[in-house]
Amino acid sequence: KKSGLVGALFGTPRARREERENRERAFEVLKFIGIEEYADRLAKNLPYGVQRRLEIARAMGTQPQLLLLDEPTNNLDIHSISWLETLLNARTHCTMIIISHDRHFLNAVCTHMADMDYGTLKIYSGNYDDYMMASTQAREKLFADNAKKKAQIADLQQFVSRFSANASKAKQATSRAKQIEKIQLDEVIPSSRVSPFIRFTQEKKLYRQALEVKHIAHGFDGKVLFKKNNLLIGAGERVAVIGGNGVGKTTFLRCLINELSVNEGEIQWAENADIGYFAQNNEREFATPSTLIEWMTQWRKPGDNDQAVKAMLGRLLFSADEHFKNTQVCSGGEKARLLFGKLMFQNHNVLMMDEPTNHLDMESIEALNLALENYEGTLIFVSHDRQFVSSLATRIVEIKNTKMLDFKGSYDEYLKSQGLTG
């Protein structure tokens, strides 16, 4: 809108006094959500993360009694998500219904979980971890109860088979046959949730040093993103690159793979470094029309046959009927799984991933998380998913004010070092 963020938040009243009051209130909100510097900018020209904050502020600015949030953490950086958690937890008198694949966010904000599975909707008390424990226990109890009933039926059936022809015990056999008829097994409805099988291995192991970055600098259109930064990354480290929206995280990764040339400095990889890259924007990977099986075939190793390609697609949850689907009609999550298959075929000893959990469902996120926990190579990744970063990173690099703050330790340890809470 022509009136910039203030207009986007509240519109422009005709009355001068009301306009002044609304503008003052709007600036207070903009300052509270940390985007007052953009007050005179058009909303459509803002960075995605700032637009997201604006949308959330506008939804909450009316003091609603019911708030519906659909993937509110999308396009927010990791610090902005922490801000959002604090903001939502302060609204104790507002009922919220939230859709999110961010596990840490759900744990921090939600008091109940609505599980849509098995063709039904069931409500669990507690956060995401509580729900996972309760739903798993309920499923295990169902199987255990059915197992007991099957054992009981088998015992009764054995008695009936043995003594039904015995005149002295025919009455007992008939009684047990009636007991069998009364025992009903609980229905086990197949879950709609399935997890892909993701495993990354390295063909050639790196020793000691993987990467050295010397005095690098880069920027666009006169704006410096980072400058005069040095990093020495050892083999096997798992480095999370974090920072606010627009600080240059993706640019940094693109410089590391030589997709962009640094303005200053030098990037030196180990001689045997074999780098695999997962881009946040992967449209170029699927620019040429092809079927799933054609696309995956180009990445198989020499000696792998068609069966290996089909097996890879199967592990990534693509049925045989989908093998001839065009990759260009695949969803964001399907394309991400295809890219994981490509990386699995190539056995890199360095993986670089830019927001790999975007577009993934919860099962795929957890499968990827587990795969990277077990990966023995060097990992450098950008993610806004707090749980993902906390569980994986052994080192944090935060790009802030053109500098790279290098911290050797977990994300939780990094927060404590900065005087922040987890």
Side-chain angles (χ1 to χ4, degrees), residues 281-334:
N281 185 347
N282 53 44
E283 291 306 313
R284 286 189 299 175
E285 296 270 8
F286 304 99
T288 302
S290 63
T291 64
L292 268 62
I293 199 161
E294 289 171 342
W295 189 90
M296 192 62 74
T297 296
Q298 67 184 317
W299 308 117
R300 70 182 182 185
K301 294 179 292 186
D304 285 338
N305 55 24
D306 292 344
Q307 190 57 41
V309 174
K310 292 177 181 178
M312 180 66 76
L313 290 172
R315 294 189 191 103
L316 298 171
L317 306 182
F318 295 104
S319 66
D321 292 339
E322 295 178 294
H323 288 183
F324 297 96
K325 182 169 74 171
N326 193 316
T327 57
Q328 293 184 321
V329 302
C330 288
S331 67
E334 289 173 327

Side-chain angles (χ1 to χ4, degrees), residues 78-138:
I78 201 164
H79 294 319
S80 295
I81 294 173
S82 180
W83 159 83
L84 178 59
E85 291 170 3
T86 302
L87 185 66
L88 295 181
N89 283 326
R91 297 300 179 98
T92 56
H93 300 295
C94 177
T95 300
M96 304 176 195
I97 300 176
I98 300 170
I99 295 173
S100 178
H101 289 108
D102 188 318
R103 295 162 294 174
H104 185 273
F105 178 74
L106 294 175
N107 278 331
V109 173
C110 294
T111 61
H112 294 75
M113 300 296 297
D115 179 28
M116 298 180 67
D117 198 12
Y118 313 111
T120 60
L121 179 66
K122 188 173 182 180
I123 305 296
Y124 292 84
S125 296
N127 61 21
Y128 179 74
D129 286 346
D130 296 329
Y131 146 72
M132 285 297 293
M133 183 176 295
S135 62
T136 300
Q137 289 175 346

Side-chain angles (χ1 to χ4, degrees), residues 36-318:
E36 68 273 19
E37 63 186 286
Y38 299 97
D40 295 322
R41 294 265 299 274
L42 296 179
K44 67 178 182 179
N45 296 332
L46 297 173
Y48 288 131
V50 177
Q51 287 185 14
R52 199 64 169 170
R53 282 195 177 208
L54 178 62
E55 291 168 3
I56 293 167
R58 183 165 53 184
M60 300 185 71
T62 57
Q63 301 293 321
Q65 294 179 317
L66 175 63
L67 187 61
L68 308 179
L69 298 171
D70 188 359
E71 299 289 1
T73 63
N74 280 5
N75 298 316
L76 293 183
D77 61 68
I78 201 164
H79 294 319
S80 295
I81 294 173
S82 180
W83 159 83
L84 178 59
E85 291 170 3
T86 302
L87 185 66
L88 295 181
N89 283 326
R91 297 300 179 98
T92 56
H93 300 295
C94 177
T95 300
M96 304 176 195
I97 300 176
I98 300 170
I99 295 173
S100 178
H101 289 108
D102 188 318
R103 295 162 294 174
H104 185 273
F105 178 74
L106 294 175
N107 278 331
V109 173
C110 294
T111 61
H112 294 75
M113 300 296 297
D115 179 28
M116 298 180 67
D117 198 12
Y118 313 111
T120 60
L121 179 66
K122 188 173 182 180
I123 305 296
Y124 292 84
S125 296
N127 61 21
Y128 179 74
D129 286 346
D130 296 329
Y131 146 72
M132 285 297 293
M133 183 176 295
S135 62
T136 300
Q137 289 175 346
R139 190 78 169 167
E140 290 175 350
K141 185 177 185 303
L142 186 147
F143 282 112
D145 289 346
N146 275 354
K148 289 180 181 179
K149 291 176 182 178
K150 288 178 181 178
Q152 185 181 3
I153 290 171
D155 289 340
L156 293 170
Q157 188 62 55
Q158 185 178 18
F159 186 93
V160 172
S161 300
R162 184 177 179 182
F163 296 110
S164 58
N166 187 320
S168 63
K169 295 191 175 182
K171 189 174 181 179
Q172 296 178 45
T174 301
S175 175
R176 282 166 171 73
K178 291 180 179 179
Q179 289 180 44
I180 293 173
E181 293 176 0
K182 293 179 181 179
I183 298 174
Q184 298 292 324
L185 296 178
D186 294 318
E187 184 181 8
V188 180
I189 304 172
S191 174
S192 59
R193 293 199 181 92
V194 285
S195 297
F197 178 86
I198 305 173
R199 291 291 184 274
F200 300 114
T201 58
Q202 54 177 346
E203 190 166 309
K204 294 180 180 180
K205 185 177 180 180
L206 288 180
Y207 295 91
R208 299 181 64 185
Q209 184 176 307
L211 170 67
E212 185 174 7
V213 174
K214 300 178 182 178
H215 307 293
I216 65 165
H218 198 81
F220 298 100
D221 301 324
K223 178 184 179 182
V224 176
L225 294 175
F226 44 83
K227 61 181 179 180
K228 297 181 180 180
N229 290 281
N230 299 294
L231 288 173
L232 187 63
I233 297 176
E237 286 197 272
R238 298 202 292 257
V239 183
V241 181
I242 65 172
N245 293 107
V247 298
K249 301 185 295 295
T250 295
T251 298
F252 175 54
L253 262 58
R254 292 177 66 194
C255 287
L256 292 185
I257 62 169
N258 203 31
E259 191 174 281
L260 292 174
S261 298
V262 292
N263 295 343
E264 297 177 23
E266 181 183 353
I267 295 171
Q268 185 175 350
W269 286 96
E271 183 179 352
N272 294 322
D274 180 10
I275 306 164
Y277 181 53
F278 181 101
Q280 183 176 172
N281 185 347
N282 53 44
E283 291 306 313
R284 286 189 299 175
E285 296 270 8
F286 304 99
T288 302
S290 63
T291 64
L292 268 62
I293 199 161
E294 289 171 342
W295 189 90
M296 192 62 74
T297 296
Q298 67 184 317
W299 308 117
R300 70 182 182 185
K301 294 179 292 186
D304 285 338
N305 55 24
D306 292 344
Q307 190 57 41
V309 174
K310 292 177 181 178
M312 180 66 76
L313 290 172
R315 294 189 191 103
L316 298 171
L317 306 182
F318 295 104

